[in-house]
Amino acid sequence: MGFAKEETWKVQRIFSPELLEVGLTPNNIVYNSMISGFRDLKNNEAALLLQKKMIAEGIPCDLKTYTTLIDGFLKEGKILFASDLYSEMLGKGIVPDIITFTVLINSLCKKGQLENACKVLEEMDRKNMTPSVLIYNTLIAGYFREGNLQEAFRLCDEMLDRGLEPDDVTYDILVNGKFKESDNLASASCD
């Protein structure tokens, strides 16, 4: 990853010596906030450097750390790298939650990888997690975009079978075949 020396220096100098001198050390919450900030600035390399700094300092990376990094790299289109982060997270025994699954499915659908997004949905089933209406909306919209109306309506039926109530976004997708990006992202945040 091409990361400028100046940016690396900024990340390394992020915690002032004065802060450390008075005995205040950055913790998991501080690091996660900063990683989220770098992700929001689309500077995933800096976010990854902070994660490595956390590990070097013995501060454990948690679900929020990984979900935020995965989200950033998926948005950047680095699906394989995000997949490696996901595998690393699972390898450490960190269990994904609904937010992590929403991030994965949303990004995979945006990249046209509906088959992989459905595999994530299957993983949720194996973990006895009920997908949200947002997750179903994302998948339904993805299949509408691909012209696979049969699968879109099958997913809608599956959502109903699970006892989930379609919302206005669901109906907009089914009636107009449209899915506004703002509707999707408003409910799925890593923060």
Side-chain angles (χ1 to χ4, degrees):
M1 293 182 199
F3 192 71
K5 287 182 182 180
E6 180 180 329
E7 293 298 316
T8 304
W9 180 83
K10 286 179 187 176
V11 170
Q12 291 171 342
R13 300 283 304 153
I14 229 150
F15 304 112
S16 70
E18 295 83 16
L19 181 72
L20 300 174
E21 284 175 11
V22 294
L24 297 174
T25 56
N27 60 17
N28 185 283
I29 295 167
V30 172
Y31 272 109
N32 283 339
S33 295
M34 295 178 71
I35 288 170
S36 291
F38 279 119
R39 181 218 40 215
D40 293 347
L41 293 171
K42 297 180 174 105
N43 192 343
N44 294 309
E45 289 81 10
L48 191 62
L49 281 175
L50 278 174
Q51 184 229 15
K52 291 183 185 318
K53 188 171 172 61
M54 281 177 77
I55 293 167
E57 292 178 4
I59 299 170
C61 297
D62 62 8
L63 180 61
K64 177 155 176 62
T65 311
Y66 280 104
T67 300
T68 304
L69 289 168
I70 290 166
D71 182 46
F73 283 101
L74 283 172
K75 285 177 179 172
E76 196 175 305
K78 296 185 176 179
I79 295 171
L80 290 176
F81 189 77
S83 178
D84 289 343
L85 284 169
Y86 184 72
S87 295
E88 179 182 313
M89 178 186 87
L90 294 176
K92 291 183 177 185
I94 299 171
V95 179
D97 64 2
I98 191 75
I99 295 171
T100 307
F101 285 123
T102 302
V103 163
L104 290 168
I105 289 172
N106 181 43
S107 293
L108 290 169
C109 285
K110 278 189 197 174
K111 302 294 180 196
Q113 299 209 5
L114 294 168
E115 193 173 309
N116 287 332
C118 283
K119 287 179 184 176
V120 174
L121 186 65
E122 291 168 9
E123 183 179 346
M124 290 183 75
D125 282 338
R126 286 190 301 275
K127 294 183 182 297
N128 294 319
M129 292 183 77
T130 303
S132 64
V133 172
L134 173 63
I135 286 175
Y136 276 107
N137 286 345
T138 303
L139 287 163
I140 292 166
Y143 280 107
F144 256 93
R145 274 192 299 276
E146 298 232 331
N148 189 341
L149 303 183
Q150 183 177 355
E151 185 61 16
F153 282 104
R154 187 200 67 74
L155 284 165
C156 186
D157 289 341
E158 181 181 306
M159 179 175 71
L160 290 168
D161 290 344
R162 289 179 181 255
L164 296 171
E165 292 290 324
D167 61 12
D168 291 343
V169 175
T170 312
Y171 291 118
D172 194 38
I173 296 166
L174 296 173
V175 173
N176 300 316
K178 295 180 181 175
F179 185 58
K180 292 183 234 154
E181 195 66 32
S182 60
D183 291 336
N184 185 15
L185 296 178
S187 303
S189 174
C190 296
D191 300 326

